Each structure stands twice: as C-alpha cells, then as structure tokens.
Amino acid sequence: MGDTVSYKDLGLVNSRELFRKAVDGGYAIPAYNFNNLEQLQAIIMACAETASPVIIQVSKGARSYANETMLRYMAMGAVAMAREMDSAIPVVLHLDHGDSFELCKSCIDSGFSSVMIDGSHLPYDENIALTRQVVEYAHAHDVTVEGELGVLAGIEDEVSAEKSTYTQPDEVEDFVKKTGVDSLAISIGTSHGAYKFKLKEGESVPPLRFDILEECQKRIPGFPIVLHGASSVIPEYVALINQYGGKMDGAVGVPEDQLRKAAASAVCKINIDSDGRLAVTAKVREYLATNPGEFDPRKYLGEARKELIRLVKHKNEAVLGSAGKA
Ligand code: G3H
Ligand code: 13P
Ligand code: ZN
C-alpha cells in the first residue's frame, strides 16, 4: 500500500464541471481505458492536440497490471506532458467498474479523482447501499462517483455479464436521490468487447434503445448519463488483424452515427476500450508481419501509438464532439 495522496496534488480534476458543460453543450467527454505507457501517451497527445477534456480510466485488472504506485506517477506525468504541449486540458483519473468499497477507497486514497462503483449485478437495494457507501467516502474527498443501473452483456477480463438487462427508467430517479451519485451508467443495448451483436448474413446492427434513454432523461432532467460498451469495432482494424494472422470473425460494434446521437443528449461520458485494443493489435500484427527481422519494441509499439493518436483524434472530432471544449 502506497501513501495517501489527493488527486489535486497530481494536477487532476474531478468530473463534475466537465459533465455539466458537456450536458449543456450537447457533447460527450471521452473516457479511454489504458494499461500501458504507449496507450496513455497516445490518449494525452491526441486530446491535447484536439483541445479535448479527457477521462483516462483504469479497470481493476489494468490497475494490478500496471501497479497502483506506477499509475499515480503516470497520471501525474500525463498532466505535465499536456502542459508542456501548451495544452492544459482537464484530465480525470477514473476507476472503471469498481466492484467493492475497498477498491474504490484504495483508488481515492492513491490519487484517483473519480470512481465507478458497479453494483448493477446486485439486487436493487444492495446496489443502493453499496453505492451510497462509496459516495459518502468519495464526496468527503471531493471525488466524483459513477453508479450503474441495468446490466450490459459482454465479457472482458474481469467485467462479465452473460445477459443484458435494460435499465428500468422507473428506478433512475429513486437511485440517484438515494445514492447521491454524480453520474449514472445505463444499459440501452451496448455491450462490452468486440462482439456486440450476433448478426446473420445481410442483417445490420439494431439501433440502440434511445426510447429508454429518453425515458431516463425525463425522470432525471439534465443529470449526467454514461454509456459503456461504446466502441465501434472499426472494421478496418478487424480486417487488418484477420489479414495478418488474427482470427476475429463476426466482430461488430456500435455505429458512429448512433454514438453521435447519444453524445448530443444527456449522455456526457462515452467509454471506449475495445477500439483502442484493436488499433494497437492491428498495427503490431501488420508491422511484425511486414518487418520479420525487426525486434525493437519501439518500432512496433511506435506504429501502434501513431494509430491510437489518429483514432482518438477522430473520436474527439467526429464522434463525441469534445474537440475544442477543453
Ligand atoms: O469495461 C471493461 C473494460 O473494457 C476493461 O476491461 O477488465 O479487461 O481491463 P478489463
Ligand atoms: P468497449 O468494450 O465497447 O470499448 O467498452 C469499454 C467500456 O465500457 C469500459 O468501461
Ligand atoms: Zn464498461
């Protein structure tokens, strides 16, 4: 266990003001997952170059992969790097899918400015009790909290759900009131990972349940809503992966026009992990296959980083609308 440190001493901000502006302005703050140096560099460089506020987020698995002390200094370094680029963009360090009070507390104590407590798989009253407990500790440290109602389908390393359950709009107002959360993740048909929809030949991706989103918005007007599982699973990356020895048949994600529509609503945070993973894997596979004698990680990870910068800029400018809002 490292020393206790406040995110304010690391140059980070919580998400409160960012979300207020995003809801009012009809855009969404990008929340990119990272696990390593190249991913973090790419996210920060691209957000600094597009003058976009950013949430850099870490799952429980990513935190143990990267080491909690290392992460703190990486986040500090990210803020300093953006400043050196003459772009003092607001940076939030967020815990993605926190699964216990202890994990959330540990992240708050080690410099996170925002945490998610994901009690969505619990019975409603237990979700409220756990979320409330995290909110009390977090708000005492001026840290913002994301809760979740409704379950997303899809499997990630440590985030899994067999089946999805859409959010019930009738519950959102009561949940927000009783827990005191600062934002709410809802389930409207997205899912985690690269295989979001099982499509038969000739079928297209079904639309997200914007009717449920609207019903939720009516009950909690202006309240910040979060969309998980929002990667588009960009077909060009899947094709490159398959071309250079990978096997990702049937990978499909959320079309960009649906994300643009969501970003213009009360959805003020859009989570993207899989698209970044695909960009890195596609470029590493391509580079190694076409340069079989190369063994310097800077070469293939450098190519991956370049592609990730392109991807993040594209998301900020053409999908989320966060470019220029820092
Ligand atoms: O929503 C989950 C994120 O994509 C994190 O996945 O647990 O494999 O790091 P992970
Ligand atoms: P994707 O798997 O669609 O990128 O979703 C990421 C996510 O929701 C992280 O919490
Ligand atoms: Zn998620």
Side-chain angles (χ1 to χ4, degrees):
M1 279 281 280
D3 306 330
T4 296
V5 64
S6 165
Y7 69 87
K8 294 178 185 175
D9 297 329
L10 305 181
L12 299 161
V13 296
N14 69 29
S15 62
R16 195 166 291 124
E17 187 62 8
L18 268 52
F19 287 170
R20 195 191 55 73
K21 287 188 188 161
V23 172
D24 290 350
Y27 61 93
I29 311 289
Y32 298 111
N33 289 70
F34 76 99
N35 310 273
N36 67 20
L37 174 71
E38 283 80 6
Q39 286 174 307
L40 182 57
Q41 285 175 322
I43 294 163
I44 294 296
M45 284 176 190
C47 289
E49 282 174 25
T50 53
S52 171
V54 66
I55 297 172
I56 49 174
Q57 61 185 13
V58 178
S59 68
K60 181 181 175 181
R63 190 167 182 251
S64 48
Y65 176 83
N67 178 279
E68 73 172 76
T69 306
M70 178 63 89
L71 263 178
R72 173 195 302 176
Y73 292 104
M74 284 173 81
M76 252 176 112
V79 173
M81 190 176 85
R83 282 201 187 124
E84 277 166 19
M85 292 175 72
D86 284 331
S87 182
I89 53 170
V91 180
V92 175
L93 177 62
H94 176 76
L95 169 67
D96 192 24
H97 294 283
D99 61 357
S100 66
F101 172 77
E102 291 70 27
L103 175 61
C104 292
K105 178 181 181 303
S106 167
C107 285
I108 292 165
D109 292 347
S110 73
F112 281 59
S113 58
S114 173
V115 292
M116 173 188 194
I117 177 69
D118 182 356
S120 59
H121 53 285
L122 296 172
Y124 183 68
D125 288 339
E126 288 176 37
N127 187 1
I128 289 182
L130 176 62
T131 306
R132 177 76 224 159
Q133 188 189 12
V134 171
V135 167
E136 275 167 15
Y137 189 79
H139 283 183
H141 295 79
D142 203 15
V143 165
T144 38
V145 180
E146 175 183 327
E148 178 162 338
L149 269 181
V151 180
L152 271 71
I155 307 227
E156 300 289 336
D157 284 355
E158 307 211 19
V159 181
S160 67
E162 294 277 296
K163 281 192 304 177
S164 69
T165 318
Y166 295 124
T167 303
Q168 295 178 36
D170 282 343
E171 290 180 347
V172 297
E173 191 181 354
D174 184 61
F175 185 84
V176 163
K177 255 195 209 137
K178 287 188 177 149
T179 58
V181 281
D182 303 282
S183 60
L184 181 68
I186 62 169
S187 174
I188 58 166
T190 61
S191 61
H192 291 114
Y195 301 88
K196 298 191 191 298
F197 306 98
K198 278 204 177 70
L199 301 177
K200 295 201 189 92
E201 186 91 14
E203 258 181 4
S204 49
V205 173
L208 297 179
R209 292 290 305 270
F210 284 99
D211 57 321
I212 297 178
L213 172 60
E214 272 166 35
E215 285 303 317
C216 291
Q217 284 182 195
K218 268 190 215 154
R219 274 131 169 126
I220 42 172
F223 191 80
I225 291 177
V226 177
L227 209 55
H228 282 247
S231 280
S232 293
V233 187
I234 295 172
E236 288 77 7
Y237 294 149
V238 176
L240 267 183
I241 289 171
N242 287 337
Q243 182 183 345
Y244 290 109
K247 195 163 169 26
M248 294 198 68
D249 303 327
V252 56
V254 184
E256 288 186 345
D257 59 335
Q258 297 204 34
L259 296 169
R260 260 183 234 115
K261 185 172 165 188
S265 73
V267 169
C268 64
K269 173 176 181 266
I270 289 190
N271 284 11
I272 298 163
D273 187 0
S274 296
D275 278 341
R277 295 180 182 199
L278 291 169
V280 169
T281 303
K283 284 294 155 179
V284 169
R285 278 194 179 279
E286 181 186 39
Y287 188 88
L288 292 177
T290 51
N291 299 273
E294 195 53 73
F295 65 100
D296 181 345
R298 290 173 298 185
K299 294 280 172 53
Y300 52 86
L301 294 179
E303 284 304 305
R305 187 172 63 188
K306 239 190 270 170
E307 188 57 40
L308 211 40
I309 292 173
R310 259 203 296 274
L311 172 73
V312 170
K313 283 182 166 180
H314 166 75
K315 298 269 182 198
N316 295 351
E317 285 166 349
V319 186
L320 282 80
S322 63
K325 307 292 186 186

